[in-house]
Amino acid sequence: MMSQMPQQTALSRCPSCEEPVESGDRFCGACGYDLSAVPARPEDSPTIAMNGASPGGPWPQIPHPPAGPRGAEPGGHEPPRPEPVAGSPVSPVSGVRFDRQPEPDEYLLQAPDPRVASEAAAPAEGAASPTSCVACRAGRVDDDGYCENCGHAQPRERDHMEQETGPVAAVSDRGLRHHRNEDAFALGTSLLPDGSPATFAVVCDGVSSATRPDDASLAASRAASEALLTALPQGTHPQQAMHEAIVAASRAVNSLANEPATAREHQPHQNAPACTFVGSVVTPSLLVVGWVGDSRVYWVPTDRSSAPARLTEDDSWAAQMVAAGLMNEAEAYADERAHAITGWLGADAYELDPHTASFKPDRPGVVVVCSDGLWNYAEAAEEMAQAVPPDAAVRPLHSARVLVGHALDGGGHDNVTVAVVPFPTPPQGAGSA
């Protein structure tokens, strides 16, 4: 599905930014990392497999994009740079917040978050011990997750996560340009009072201009999951249950603003922890979605002759311009202000306004719940449908991996999270809402 990198001579990867480097280079051309401290490893390759899979594994290998200028898109095109907002990341005039990560070159000068640096995945058989650095293989790793010899931060659990729960699956990846993953997801299954099954998926994207965005997304996803697992078996209508889940997620994020970890960094309620929210509940006859922010839900029917659809509307500057008739969609999303969000979960947000909607599809398909790290590379419903494998309904985890690979192959400039929820063949006589 994805093109491989052009052949180059004696390539390895920089242990800091993982960009390809030439054999014999003293410094990494992408981030300036001193390569002399790391012995060359012949097993390095310019191609990586998702989640550490070996070549020939069950999903495509994802090549690193060809290196362009620092801070540039693959091929050397400069990414759009949003206008800075004076003072707080929330503009008091427009009521928007820039949900964008700093530029890649800024991140290369920052150390990974020590709060989660110690959450390293277990090493594979034959790999370095947990106390040995994965980069230089010699230094001891301190309690904060850094090598005492070369200073390299060790892998963290949230860099790449996968989960399959019953018929629903999700994959989340840090991407190729950021030092940590600020997305989070939650999956669940439940039984309704009549014995019919219900499945749900929640995806939360931390607002990068906020304090502790990774904690915000994790708290929101967990709170929403708990709320849905409580409400659905009690007979609460799925749309009402989704509304309650968003409220619970909002409260969980709000509570972070008063914690000591936040107070040490900023005053409470100023630049407070924040995230977006999107979720879906699927029953045998009903599809419910809920959201706040610019994460999205797409509907992709199994019969590709039927039209796919986007089921959510962004809380963003671009969406407001389109709704007001001031720009068409292409113009609005090409603007550097496009991703300034107008709705989010957090103590400094305006009055909470959860969006929910329900649908009754008349045919089987899959529901794609994702952060903008994916839909930036497949924005239109038709583009998303083309990226979704034809067998997504029966292989949701494989499909989630493929979709994350699609974003990484496109540049991977943001964290990427996607959940795939199959919608079963509806009961006879079901119609669209």
Side-chain angles (χ1 to χ4, degrees):
M1 181 187 75
M2 305 166 207
S3 60
Q4 296 292 319
M5 277 186 64
Q7 291 296 318
Q8 302 181 41
T9 59
L11 278 177
S12 60
R13 294 195 300 273
C14 172
S16 177
C17 68
E18 296 189 351
E19 291 291 346
V21 295
E22 294 280 355
S23 176
D25 281 355
R26 176 68 168 80
F27 299 96
C28 173
C31 69
Y33 187 82
D34 186 353
L35 301 172
S36 64
V38 184
R41 293 181 292 166
E43 67 270 25
D44 282 343
S45 163
T47 302
I48 60 171
M50 292 177 60
N51 199 33
S54 60
W59 56 84
Q61 294 188 32
I62 311 303
H64 285 287
R70 293 181 64 185
E73 298 280 355
H77 301 291
E78 191 72 15
R81 296 173 178 262
E83 295 179 358
V85 181
S88 168
V90 182
S91 167
V93 177
S94 59
V96 301
R97 185 171 202 163
F98 283 93
D99 179 21
R100 309 305 300 155
Q101 298 272 9
E103 290 299 308
D105 54 349
E106 296 177 37
Y107 262 107
L108 295 172
L109 301 177
Q110 297 181 13
D113 188 346
R115 289 173 296 157
V116 293
S118 60
E119 299 176 2
E125 184 177 354
S129 68
T131 57
S132 298
C133 176
V134 298
C136 68
R137 303 296 180 96
R140 178 184 176 276
V141 178
D142 62 23
D143 293 339
D144 289 330
Y146 296 92
C147 175
E148 295 178 346
N149 179 48
C150 67
H152 187 78
Q154 306 305 292
R156 291 160 291 177
E157 183 180 8
R158 287 180 68 175
D159 284 356
H160 187 92
M161 300 179 293
E162 297 187 356
Q163 183 180 346
E164 188 170 29
T165 302
V168 59
V171 175
S172 182
D173 193 273
R174 184 186 68 182
L176 302 179
R177 300 293 179 181
H178 295 314
H179 77 280
R180 67 180 176 188
N181 189 358
E182 296 173 354
D183 288 359
F185 66 82
L187 310 177
T189 61
S190 182
L191 290 178
L192 302 179
D194 63 2
S196 60
T199 59
F200 67 82
V202 169
V203 170
C204 298
D205 182 354
V207 176
S208 297
S209 58
T211 305
R212 301 168 62 193
D214 52 334
D215 290 343
S217 62
L218 187 61
S221 61
R222 288 177 173 174
S225 177
E226 293 173 2
L228 289 168
L229 288 173
T230 299
L232 292 172
Q234 295 176 350
T236 305
H237 189 278
Q239 188 168 352
Q240 178 62 30
M242 178 60 72
H243 179 93
E244 294 174 1
I246 298 175
V247 173
S250 177
R251 290 172 178 164
V253 178
N254 291 352
S255 67
L256 296 177
N258 296 317
E259 289 186 359
T262 303
R264 283 196 300 269
E265 298 178 49
H266 295 276
Q267 293 298 317
H269 307 296
Q270 294 180 11
N271 198 28
C275 67
T276 68
F277 179 101
V278 68
S280 178
V281 176
V282 168
T283 74
S285 60
L286 191 66
L287 164 57
V288 170
V289 298
W291 73 98
V292 174
D294 64 349
S295 295
R296 293 182 176 180
V297 176
Y298 291 84
W299 162 254
V300 179
T302 301
D303 178 5
R304 296 306 172 88
S305 63
S306 303
R310 172 155 62 95
L311 305 182
T312 58
E313 293 293 337
D314 299 344
D315 289 322
S316 69
W317 180 90
Q320 285 192 343
M321 294 299 102
V322 174
L326 300 177
M327 291 183 175
N328 62 40
E329 191 163 308
E331 293 171 337
Y333 281 98
D335 193 285
E336 59 186 9
R337 295 165 290 182
H339 288 277
I341 58 175
T342 57
W344 61 88
L345 304 183
D348 60 355
Y350 294 93
E351 183 177 357
L352 180 64
D353 183 22
H355 310 291
T356 62
S358 61
F359 306 87
K360 293 183 177 180
D362 60 357
R363 64 201 66 203
V366 293
V367 182
V368 178
V369 184
C370 64
S371 64
D372 62 347
L374 172 61
W375 68 252
N376 277 330
Y377 300 99
E379 186 172 333
E382 293 75 16
E383 294 175 315
M384 185 64 71
Q386 291 175 1
V388 174
D391 60 353
V394 295
R395 301 179 69 194
L397 180 57
H398 166 77
S399 301
R401 289 168 174 164
V402 169
L403 289 170
V404 168
H406 178 78
L408 297 182
D409 196 43
H413 281 264
D414 200 354
N415 306 145
V416 189
T417 303
V418 56
V420 177
V421 190
F423 185 85
T425 302
Q428 190 172 5
S432 59

